[in-house]
């Protein structure tokens, strides 16, 4: 336990007091400058989650890219199966994947880091200097000097999901349907099954099914292990460097006027870049659709080339701003989340009036690390007791 002295009116479990901490968020221009080093991510494990949401430490759910043959993204909507998001899954599968990775790798450096989190959380951090009014809330615990970060759904997000219109739900389906339309279950060089190609045009999508990776990298002085869903591989999985063949699939409104172009470059390309860059996915394949959900064209973007497409344009974004900001936030978290105890949590919030991040000590509330992770065990099933149970 740190000897750091706190002054304030919140007393931690260990008898120390914990002031609410603040990270002021400056104008994006304040984060310009040379980028902190971002090391090439390395895949340390991969795993699959099947339609029953059971977890397997293998590649059974990995899909292979095969250019979309149909164009109708609404086809099969009646067969859309959506994961039950009311079942909170915390970091469970990532922690299991990490335990499994530790049993497979002899070099412990590959499977230990200062931070463990989802890629989606890091994407939010990277984009915050430019997405100033999108709230997020994180839950953090420190155990054996590794800081674990999960997302806590904000009240705002829950309300938005509850109110999602029929149209919004259909549009959400379009994203998944593009994945169904653009992938096959075996590497195409082994021959593509005509029946599978015909079926995928009419098939729905099942968001329970996922193929995920755990990668290790370093941002500045912060080493990071991230979990991420990967949409597909271009050809067979390359065991030496699997990340080099992965492809992120996206849909986006066809760009037909300057306003749409500005939106695409300013917001969409930023998110596409951040999401794929973070885990070293080299290619983003975008299905451009019209308002009726028909794919009009498919275009590939090399992830590392995306920042060049927006450079110098008015109101555009700069990757160094994103990386500097995220790096400073991680430093701030490491300095302030000091209690090395998996049964204690902190809450970090970004919300109105969009001026600062706040960190509060939340004691034994919302403990999220699993007991089995602390015990070095894994499970095929999600859920189970938390730390300290
Ligand atoms: P698009 O990617 O075409 O937007 P991902 O691209 O991250 O693999 O996610 C696949 C699809 O999930 C998305 O397709 C979108 O349809 C849906 N999705 C992901 N994040 C979402 C969010 N925050 N809100 C609504 N839908 C989301
Ligand atoms: Mg995708």
């Amino acid at each position: 336990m740190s000897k750091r002295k706190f002054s304030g009116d919140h007393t931690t479990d260990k008898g120390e007091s914990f002031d609410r901490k603040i990270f002021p968020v400056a104008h994006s221009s304040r984060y310009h400058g040379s980028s902190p080093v971002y090391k090439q991510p390395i895949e340390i494990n991969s795993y699959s989650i099947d339609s029953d949401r059971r977890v397997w430490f293998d590649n059974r759910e990995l899909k292979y890219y095969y250019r979309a043959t149909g164009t109708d993204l609404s086809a099969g909507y009646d067969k859309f199966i959506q994961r039950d998001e009311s079942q909170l899954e915390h970091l469970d599968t990532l922690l299991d994947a990490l335990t499994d990775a530790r049993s497979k790798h002899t070099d412990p450096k590959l499977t230990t880091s200062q931070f463990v989190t989802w890629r989606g959380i890091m994407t939010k951090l990277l984009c915050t200097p430019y997405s100033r009014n999108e709230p997020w809330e994180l839950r953090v615990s420190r155990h054996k000097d590794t800081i674990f970060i999960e997302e806590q759904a904000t009240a705002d997000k829950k309300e938005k999901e509850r109110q999602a219109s029929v149209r919004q739900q259909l549009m959400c389906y379009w994203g998944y349907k593009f994945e169904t339309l653009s992938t096959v279950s075996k590497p195409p060089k082994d021959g593509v099954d005509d029946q599978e190609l015909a079926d995928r045009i009419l098939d729905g999508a099942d968001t329970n099914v996922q193929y995920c990776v755990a990668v290790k990298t370093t941002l500045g002085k912060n080493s990071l292990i991230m979990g991420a869903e990967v949409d597909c591989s271009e050809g067979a999985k390359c065991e030496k460097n699997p990340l080099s063949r992965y492809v992120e699939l996206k849909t986006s409104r066809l760009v037909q006027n300057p306003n749409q172009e500005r939106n695409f470059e300013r917001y969409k390309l930023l998110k596409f870049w951040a999401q794929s860059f973070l885990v070293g996915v080299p290619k983003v394949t975008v299905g451009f659709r019209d308002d009726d959900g028909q794919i009009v064209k498919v275009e590939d973007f090399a992830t590392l080339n995306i920042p060049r497409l927006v450079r110098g344009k008015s109101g555009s974004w700069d990757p160094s701003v994103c990386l500097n900001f995220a790096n400073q936030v991680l430093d701030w978290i490491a300095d302030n989340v000091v209690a090395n105890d998996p049964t204690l949590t902190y809450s970090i919030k970004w919300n109105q009036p969009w001026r600062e991040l706040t960190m509060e000590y939340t004691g034994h509330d919302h403990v999220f690390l699993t007991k089995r992770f602390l015990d070095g065990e894994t499970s095929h099933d999600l859920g189970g007791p938390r730390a300290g149970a």
Side-chain angles (χ1 to χ4, degrees):
M1 189 62 203
S2 160
K3 296 265 187 314
R4 186 182 300 249
K5 286 252 186 304
F6 295 112
S7 60
D9 53 3
H10 299 273
T11 304
T12 70
D13 209 55
K14 311 270 167 169
E16 294 171 328
S17 55
F18 186 90
D19 267 342
R20 186 168 174 265
K21 309 286 177 200
I22 284 173
F23 179 95
V25 178
H27 186 267
S28 59
S29 58
R30 286 283 302 278
Y31 304 100
H32 269 293
S34 58
S35 285
V37 170
Y38 195 76
K39 278 201 191 147
Q40 180 69 37
I42 298 169
E43 179 174 310
I44 59 166
N45 209 358
S46 60
Y47 61 101
S48 298
I49 308 179
D50 67 19
S51 55
D52 296 321
R53 228 45 213 146
R54 297 204 83 214
V55 183
W56 306 95
F57 301 104
D58 59 31
N59 303 324
R60 69 183 69 188
E61 299 296 356
L62 171 59
K63 304 285 185 297
Y64 301 88
Y65 182 72
Y66 193 79
R67 214 167 181 85
T69 31
T71 59
D72 183 8
L73 294 174
S74 300
Y77 185 43
D78 55 327
K79 288 172 263 176
F80 185 27
I81 301 171
Q82 273 181 293
R83 178 158 67 89
D84 176 4
E85 298 210 8
S86 67
Q87 299 296 315
L88 297 180
E89 296 184 356
H90 309 282
L91 296 182
D92 294 11
T93 60
L94 175 57
L95 299 178
D96 285 335
L98 192 51
T99 302
D100 184 65
R102 286 174 178 167
S103 72
K104 288 173 177 163
H105 294 284
T106 47
D107 180 4
K109 271 199 214 132
L110 258 185
T111 53
T112 40
S113 60
Q114 277 143 318
F115 289 90
V116 171
T117 191
W118 291 120
R119 173 265 308 272
I121 291 174
M122 288 303 298
T123 304
K124 281 188 182 163
L125 280 187
L126 258 67
C127 295
T128 295
Y130 297 108
S131 307
R132 303 291 290 218
N133 53 3
E134 288 177 30
W136 43 257
E137 187 174 336
L138 308 178
R139 193 68 59 184
V140 185
S141 279
R142 184 174 189 134
H143 170 57
K144 292 188 177 170
D145 278 325
T146 293
I147 293 174
F148 297 84
I149 310 177
E150 74 154 355
E151 187 167 13
Q152 176 94 21
T154 60
D156 181 80
K157 189 176 170 218
K158 281 186 193 151
E159 185 56 22
K160 267 194 192 142
E161 279 168 7
R162 208 180 56 79
Q163 291 185 354
S165 64
V166 172
R167 169 89 183 159
Q168 280 165 331
Q169 285 177 35
L170 175 65
M171 287 173 78
C172 175
Y173 174 71
W174 290 349
Y176 292 110
K177 176 67 191 191
F178 184 60
E179 293 174 2
T180 305
L181 265 189
S182 306
T183 56
V184 287
S185 56
K186 292 195 191 80
K189 80 165 180 34
D190 301 342
V192 180
D193 180 0
D194 286 341
Q195 191 58 49
E196 185 175 9
L197 287 184
D199 287 348
R200 70 180 189 167
I201 293 173
L202 300 172
D203 275 350
D206 182 350
T207 69
N208 287 295
V209 179
Q210 291 182 296
Y211 168 78
C212 301
V213 296
V215 307
K216 166 129 196 224
T217 184
T218 301
L219 170 62
K221 62 180 169 58
N222 299 299
S223 56
L224 264 171
I225 288 175
M226 279 176 288
E229 182 174 5
V230 168
D231 290 338
C232 59
S233 171
E234 194 144 43
K237 180 165 175 172
C238 161
E239 288 302 338
K240 235 178 147 190
N241 182 10
L243 296 172
S244 67
R245 291 199 183 159
Y246 290 153
V247 181
E248 173 60 46
L249 299 168
K250 289 286 180 197
T251 58
S252 198
R253 174 71 173 78
L254 188 64
V255 175
Q256 288 172 307
N257 62 44
N259 206 19
Q260 288 168 346
E261 185 176 9
R262 190 173 153 276
N263 254 335
F264 179 71
E265 291 178 345
R266 211 171 178 180
Y267 302 109
K268 284 265 178 161
L269 282 184
L270 167 60
K271 288 192 174 156
F272 292 179
W273 168 77
Q275 182 185 29
S276 289
F277 173 81
L278 276 166
V279 287
V281 169
K283 193 194 273 189
V284 184
T285 293
V286 183
F288 287 95
R289 53 145 189 94
D290 62 18
D291 286 331
D292 297 324
Q294 294 291 328
I295 299 174
V296 179
K297 64 171 179 174
V298 176
E299 207 174 310
D300 295 334
F301 294 82
T303 306
L304 294 178
N305 203 31
I306 291 176
R308 246 169 272 159
L309 302 177
V310 302
R311 193 180 293 162
K313 301 205 172 170
S314 82
S316 81
W317 49 273
D318 181 328
S320 74
V321 168
C322 305
L323 293 168
N324 278 315
F325 176 79
N327 191 32
Q328 289 177 25
V329 173
L330 293 186
D331 285 348
W332 174 71
I333 294 174
D335 284 346
N336 290 292
V337 173
V338 291
N340 245 325
D341 182 337
T343 70
L344 296 177
T345 64
Y346 298 75
S347 156
I348 299 177
K349 288 183 188 160
W350 167 242
N351 51 24
Q352 273 179 331
W354 320 113
R355 290 202 197 109
E356 60 199 20
L357 310 183
T358 55
M359 183 191 295
E360 274 165 29
Y361 172 74
T362 41
H364 293 296
D365 288 346
H366 305 283
V367 174
F368 62 92
L369 292 180
T370 51
K371 181 175 181 302
R372 65 176 176 274
F373 177 66
L374 307 186
D375 295 342
E377 290 165 4
T378 61
S379 169
H380 293 297
D381 298 303
L382 293 153
R386 303 293 114 182

